Amino acid sequence: MSAAICWFRRDLRLTDNPALAAAARDGRAVIPVYIHAPAEAEGWAPGGASNWWLHHSLEALTAALAARGLPLVIRAGDSLLVLQALVEATGADAVHWNRLYDPAFIRRDMAIKQALRDQGVAAHSHNASLLNEPWTVQTGTGSDYKAFTPFWRACRRQGEPPEPEPAPTLPAASAGIRALPGASGLDEAGHEPLQALQLLPGVDWAASLRDRWIPGEAGAGEQLETFLNNDGLAHYATRRDQPAVAGTSRLSPHLHFGEIGPRQVWQAVQHRLAGDSDADSREGADRFLAEIGWREFAHHVLYHHPDFPEQPLNPRFADFPWQEDPDGALLTAWQRGETGIPLVDAGMRELYATGWMHNRVRMVVGSFLVKNLRLPWQAGEAWFWDTLVDADLASNSLGWQWVAGSGADAAPYFRIFNPVRQSERFDPRGDYIARWVPTLAALPPKHRHAPWEAPESVLADHGVTLGQHYPHPIVDLKASRQAALAAFEQIKKPAES
């Protein structure tokens, strides 16, 4: 029996998986493999939260394949060498995988495809993670888009995405294929134990992550159904900005690891709308699908500007006069949620506890770091990379350059979020603050947003002493805003002269 290798990467699902379907076509034996090669990410190896998620997602994939009579072959090492060894050991004549769009992986995959083909092995890549691949959406002049709205309009003009494919029938591998020879350290079937990848933290800080997330394809489906069944579309346009309520889908980590694909999300939304003529649902659906579009835009920008994660897209910002933080005290206070600005601290504590942060709050904490503290956006990007379960190179880079004012379709640098006004507007009672900064929960709601403005008598009556129970603000919001605008003027002048 001929065999084909399906190389899983960030497509950890069986449904709507083009590489898996292609490998299984014509009743071929399928050899599913996952290769752990963090060094091949060239400086962007997954952070701690991502590794925790990956471990549990691989567990779920292993179980799903085992239920169909197939083992997931797990190996660590150089991807090309591992694939070549598996080809030799199994006699496989084809390797299929789904494309990734991180610059390092594009280079790696092109080299692997050529090397396999040179030795007579069919090597094919497929699209499983995007509605429209980055090179398929162009302006009228054939260039890439720098602004989201025209990009998304161009995407919509390409029509509805293809229907997602069901999970393929997977013929069980033959005994000869199941027993793979390997080096010491592999189990009796030649598989690397998942635990050997050491993805889980040595110190168990992930208890709160386990309480809030179910990694894996089944968990992704449950999350989508929960969102849709709780009238998520009908209320999305308003609730999406309210951090104290469950108004967003929370699908981002599932999409990043490919436990669900955008075509599946798109189809589920359309099916829900087919039986719902409510205007709010249709408006919410448009807003929600535009978030899928924003994810597409992030990959579009990264593909066309591969240095985007490190360098500002607007070159003027390369000379921005960032503030000195020699002992790292400002950055540390921000990371720990100890800035004395309640909405910022609530967001940073939610991030550390759950590996996730509400999108509105992401913008606020990003603006505070880059503009009020005037620290480089790359520092925030690195912290999010390590602590977010949905850390995605394209989306993380786009978000940070957006808030910094230096990226594609970015917010103007002079747009500086006021965390107090944002909190008062989108969380009037301060419920989000009370949840994540419990010291302030005893205060009357109107004083939770800016406790330094509360009368001393109110603070005393509710057992809050600033500087003891909760920090004083590490920066004056008004003065730091003016300093940020003055700094921006310094990089504007050369371009205007």
Side-chain angles (χ1 to χ4, degrees):
M1 176 189 294
S2 62
I5 292 171
C6 179
W7 178 18
F8 283 91
R9 293 107 70 81
R10 291 203 306 258
D11 50 355
L12 305 180
R13 66 183 188 270
L14 305 186
T15 304
D16 196 36
N17 188 322
L20 182 61
R25 197 163 291 136
D26 302 324
R28 295 159 64 87
V30 176
I31 306 163
V33 58
Y34 178 82
I35 305 170
H36 188 57
E40 293 175 3
E42 296 182 6
W44 291 102
S50 292
N51 279 332
W52 174 87
W53 190 289
L54 175 60
H55 176 95
H56 293 288
S57 191
L58 286 172
E59 274 190 332
L61 179 64
T62 298
L65 288 168
R68 291 161 173 79
L70 286 176
L72 176 64
V73 179
I74 296 176
R75 295 286 176 90
D78 181 279
S79 294
L80 174 58
L81 296 181
V82 169
L83 290 172
Q84 289 175 325
L86 289 173
V87 165
E88 182 177 359
T90 63
D93 56 9
V95 180
H96 293 268
W97 64 82
N98 294 309
R99 286 187 280 276
L100 297 172
Y101 306 92
D102 303 21
F105 295 146
I106 290 176
R107 291 190 293 270
R108 177 197 66 182
D109 292 351
M110 290 177 62
I112 288 177
K113 183 180 288 186
Q114 188 61 53
L116 290 173
R117 288 177 174 176
D118 286 347
Q119 67 183 72
V121 178
H124 301 284
S125 60
H126 309 266
N127 171 28
S129 64
L130 296 175
L131 300 175
N132 299 284
E133 294 189 281
W135 54 87
T136 66
V137 184
Q138 298 179 336
T139 68
T141 60
S143 62
D144 59 294
Y145 282 94
K146 304 297 193 304
F148 170 70
T149 299
F151 167 81
W152 188 228
R153 286 175 182 157
C155 291
R156 297 303 301 267
R157 286 196 296 270
Q158 297 201 18
E160 293 291 307
E163 290 282 313
E165 299 181 8
T169 300
L170 297 175
S174 68
I177 292 175
R178 290 174 61 89
L180 300 174
S184 61
L186 306 185
D187 66 18
E188 65 276 5
H191 307 145
E192 186 105 23
L194 176 57
Q195 290 73 17
L197 303 185
Q198 298 182 333
L199 297 171
L200 295 179
V203 177
D204 186 12
W205 45 257
S208 57
L209 272 65
R210 290 195 298 271
D211 292 340
R212 288 169 172 81
W213 300 103
I214 305 175
E217 184 174 5
E222 290 177 16
Q223 188 64 45
L224 177 58
E225 285 302 308
T226 296
F227 172 66
L228 295 177
N229 290 339
N230 289 340
D231 291 327
L233 295 179
H235 301 290
Y236 186 77
T238 54
R239 288 183 178 174
R240 65 190 293 269
D241 283 318
Q242 300 171 3
V245 302
T248 61
S249 72
R250 296 171 67 91
L251 284 171
S252 50
H254 298 291
L255 282 164
H256 172 71
F257 285 96
E259 299 165 347
I260 194 169
R263 287 189 292 260
Q264 294 169 275
V265 176
W266 190 281
Q267 182 192 54
V269 170
Q270 300 305 325
H271 284 181
R272 187 56 54 100
L273 289 177
D276 189 348
S277 59
D278 179 70
D280 289 339
S281 293
R282 295 193 174 277
E283 179 188 359
D286 286 342
R287 297 289 293 274
F288 175 62
L289 292 177
E291 293 302 315
I292 299 294
W294 183 256
R295 177 178 177 271
E296 300 267 318
F297 183 55
H299 284 82
H300 179 85
V301 174
L302 179 61
Y303 175 81
H304 290 284
H305 304 276
D307 62 350
F308 193 58
E310 293 91 13
Q311 299 298 325
L313 189 63
N314 183 337
R316 285 191 304 177
F317 281 84
D319 297 321
F320 189 84
W322 301 110
Q323 183 170 202
E324 295 293 327
D325 186 25
D327 60 357
L330 294 175
L331 180 61
T332 299
W334 179 82
Q335 291 172 336
R336 293 178 176 176
E338 296 175 353
T339 69
I341 308 296
L343 182 59
V344 172
D345 292 344
M348 298 306 294
R349 295 180 191 191
E350 180 188 27
L351 169 62
Y352 199 78
T354 70
W356 188 84
M357 188 193 301
H358 187 278
N359 188 60
R360 167 65 54 176
V361 185
R362 293 189 197 201
M363 293 189 289
V364 172
V365 303
S367 175
F368 183 81
L369 179 77
V370 174
K371 296 173 181 178
N372 295 101
L373 298 184
R374 234 170 64 245
L375 296 180
W377 57 267
Q378 292 94 334
E381 179 188 37
W383 184 249
F384 273 26
W385 183 256
D386 192 46
T387 54
L388 281 171
V389 291
D390 64 1
D392 180 272
L393 190 62
S395 296
N396 198 33
S397 304
L398 184 68
W400 276 99
Q401 290 225 43
W402 182 88
V403 81
S406 61
D409 205 12
Y413 185 84
F414 53 79
R415 183 186 180 189
I416 300 174
F417 286 95
N418 184 312
V420 176
R421 302 289 89 81
Q422 289 284 309
S423 185
E424 291 172 338
R425 179 180 177 186
F426 296 109
D427 183 28
R429 288 186 46 81
D431 293 329
Y432 179 74
I433 290 169
R435 182 183 308 159
W436 295 109
V437 189
T439 300
L440 302 180
L443 291 178
K446 69 177 183 178
H447 292 304
R448 293 171 182 169
H449 311 287
W452 62 89
E453 295 179 352
E456 287 293 337
S457 59
V458 172
L459 295 175
D461 288 347
H462 294 86
V464 176
T465 300
L466 296 183
Q468 179 181 345
H469 303 114
Y470 184 68
H472 291 284
I474 62 173
V475 67
D476 179 272
L477 293 177
K478 183 177 180 180
S480 59
R481 181 180 187 277
Q482 293 303 318
L485 294 176
F488 180 55
E489 287 297 320
Q490 295 183 43
I491 66 168
K492 284 174 61 179
K493 292 176 181 177
E496 295 173 348
S497 60

